[in-house]
Amino acid sequence: MFFRKMNEQEKENSRRGMVVGFMTYMLITAVNYCYYIVTDNALFSPAVVFLTGLVASSVYQFILNYTDEQIEEMRKNKDE
């Protein structure tokens, strides 16, 4: 009702974005843990870790969808 159905390419871009977000979470968590071992202080707060992964996932998904739209427009213009 509120959201439209995603096509297959958008679903694939969403999956790729989630993978990038998850890998970002793992990287930030590893850096934070290593910093904690060395200094006994956390480098990033949990909110920063959460928001960084969320933003990375969303931005990567947006970039993939945007580039797909641009490529599709270029193909349509080329065919006309």
Side-chain angles (χ1 to χ4, degrees), residues 62-72:
F62 173 78
I63 290 170
L64 290 175
N65 286 334
Y66 182 76
T67 55
D68 287 344
E69 288 175 11
Q70 294 301 314
I71 291 170
E72 188 175 319

Side-chain angles (χ1 to χ4, degrees), residues 25 28-29 32 35 41-53:
Y25 283 135
I28 295 293
T29 301
N32 199 33
Y35 186 83
N41 282 333
L43 182 62
F44 303 113
S45 70
V48 170
V49 173
F50 174 73
L51 290 175
T52 302

Side-chain angles (χ1 to χ4, degrees), residues 13-31 49-61:
N13 292 343
S14 177
R15 188 191 65 75
R16 288 179 183 172
M18 285 184 255
V19 168
V20 168
F22 179 75
M23 297 306 281
T24 303
Y25 283 135
M26 294 298 103
L27 178 65
I28 295 293
T29 301
V31 168
V49 173
F50 174 73
L51 290 175
T52 302
L54 190 65
V55 167
S57 175
S58 299
V59 167
Y60 190 66
Q61 181 181 349

